[in-house]
Amino acid sequence: MTWDVAIVGGGPAGLAAALEARRVGCSVVVLERQSLPVDKACGEGLMPSGLAALERLGVRERIPAADCSPFAAIRYVQEDGRFVEGRLPAPGGLGIRRVALAQAMSARAREQGVELREGTALRAHAIDQDGVTLHTDSGPLRAKLLVAADGLNSPLRKSMQLEKRHYGPVRFGLRQHFAIKPWGARVEVHFTAGAEAYVTPAGAERIGIAFLWEDGSLSGRVGFDHLLARFPALAERVKGATVDSEPRGAGPLRHDVVSRSKTASSSWETPPATSTPSPEKA
Ligand SMILES: Cc1cc2nc3c(=O)[nH]c(=O)nc-3n(C[C@H](O)[C@H](O)[C@H](O)COP(=O)(O)OP(=O)(O)OC[C@H]3O[C@@H](n4cnc5c(N)ncnc54)[C@H](O)[C@@H]3O)c2cc1C
């Protein structure tokens, strides 16, 4: 058969695209090279528009209360305790543990008739007048439309010459969770020289801390504990709390594109696999 839509990547972008395509009656296959649900480096704070999308897609009701926390504001905090706060429009935002979001989205996608192929990587593709042929770990398939949802550093986007060179600061991120009751229904953004810390409630008994920093702005080793030590008030808050996840990093965070779509003929082969950098090096 020829699928209406083939999506490469079973992260939030790929699964949301799959659910939207099913809503308008398309047949959809998603290729995900890992096993679902996939955990990622993420601050895990969904703003009101993202939350509205989850409601619309029928995903919100599938997220267990233990893995999410509503928040009503974003608070910008200085180390001396001074802050400014922006209130969000109703119904506010939602902090969600990433694996719970991925689990809920993939379950909903299957329920809606999306074919999810886990452990299946795209290896090569070729576009012709009628669509695209995909060469995957589980054999070839045909589709009318190919969606590149293969992540921040998307090899597919690069292979299609859709990436635009980015000039300007390059940022990286690193996150970890702690088993601690959130101390407020808000996301906090703490500042120190060269870095920010985003504190997001992500469950009844969990907070996530995500650090963002600009390449070159920090000297010495960049690890989670070293970053946390730069925020003494925050470090004091989580002192003694049980660590609830492994540190995970990602970056560089910004990628620009020349266009969101392309129709010209093209073919591509997956570059050789490279090892994922450890979070400590991210
Ligand atoms: C530190 C940090 C904090 C953040 N905080 C927030 C936040 O608070 N709120 C927010 O909304 N966003 C936040 N983000 C951004 C958010 O995490 C990303 O926008 C989101 O993860 C992107 O999802 P995605 O589906 O595009 O990609 P991913 O989740 O990376 O999914 C891509 C998938 O494609 C698969 N894949 C790749 N290549 C292939 C292939 N060839 N074949 C098959 N599968 C393939 C991968 O295995 C992966 O599962 C943050 C990001 C970072 C790094």
Side-chain angles (χ1 to χ4, degrees):
M1 71 176 281
T2 298
W3 297 89
D4 290 324
V5 184
I7 297 172
V8 181
L15 294 171
L19 283 165
E20 292 287 8
R22 281 299 296 149
R23 261 164 38 100
V24 295
C26 295
S27 58
V28 183
V29 59
V30 174
L31 309 176
E32 171 52 57
R33 65 183 173 191
Q34 301 183 66
S35 296
L36 292 166
V38 180
D39 200 2
K40 297 287 283 194
C42 187
E44 301 178 335
L46 266 193
M47 299 300 268
S49 57
L51 183 51
L54 281 197
E55 298 274 7
R56 192 179 68 241
L57 297 173
V59 175
R60 170 69 183 95
E61 67 208 41
R62 289 178 164 274
I63 296 167
D67 289 323
C68 66
S69 305
F71 59 83
I74 311 285
R75 180 177 288 192
Y76 298 88
V77 189
Q78 290 193 165
E79 268 299 290
D80 64 6
R82 285 183 296 166
F83 67 86
V84 291
E85 186 172 283
R87 307 287 298 174
L88 296 171
L94 192 69
I96 313 175
R97 184 68 182 89
R98 179 65 175 234
V99 274
L101 176 66
Q103 180 69 50
M105 293 189 83
S106 52
R108 178 66 175 160
R110 283 205 171 93
E111 183 186 85
Q112 293 300 301
V114 172
E115 170 130 343
L116 277 182
R117 296 192 184 170
E118 297 176 57
T120 303
L122 176 73
R123 297 296 175 189
H125 81 272
I127 296 174
D128 55 54
Q129 290 305 316
D130 303 319
V132 55
T133 301
L134 305 168
H135 298 281
T136 80
D137 288 344
S138 60
L141 59 91
R142 286 281 300 168
K144 293 179 193 162
L145 184 73
L146 171 63
V147 176
D150 52 342
L152 190 60
N153 291 298
S154 173
L156 199 43
R157 180 182 64 230
K158 288 173 186 157
S159 77
M160 299 290 292
Q161 287 96 44
L162 286 170
E163 180 129 336
K164 186 161 87 180
R165 187 160 175 198
H166 168 65
Y167 297 94
V170 172
R171 278 156 69 83
F172 291 87
L174 185 60
R175 73 92 178 101
Q176 190 165 26
H177 297 89
F178 294 87
I180 184 171
K181 198 177 181 64
W183 53 83
R186 60 180 177 265
V187 169
E188 288 185 359
V189 188
H190 295 243
F191 292 93
T192 192
E196 298 130 49
Y198 291 73
V199 185
T200 307
E205 299 288 337
R206 182 190 300 118
I207 61 138
I209 300 180
F211 297 110
L212 296 183
W213 70 94
E214 220 167 86
D215 195 23
S217 65
L218 301 177
S219 58
R221 194 174 140 84
V222 181
F224 191 90
D225 291 342
H226 302 85
L227 284 160
L228 185 57
R230 292 171 179 266
F231 298 85
L234 186 55
E236 193 57 33
R237 278 269 196 185
V238 297
K239 194 175 172 183
T242 305
V243 163
D244 195 37
S245 67
E246 291 294 311
R248 276 182 190 262
L253 294 182
R254 180 169 164 170
H255 291 261
D256 296 335
V257 292
V258 286
S259 166
R260 289 184 182 178
S261 61
K262 189 162 182 173
T263 52
S265 292
S266 139
S267 64
W268 167 74
E269 286 199 4
T270 309
T274 51
S275 60
T276 308
S278 75
E280 298 292 304
K281 285 185 186 159

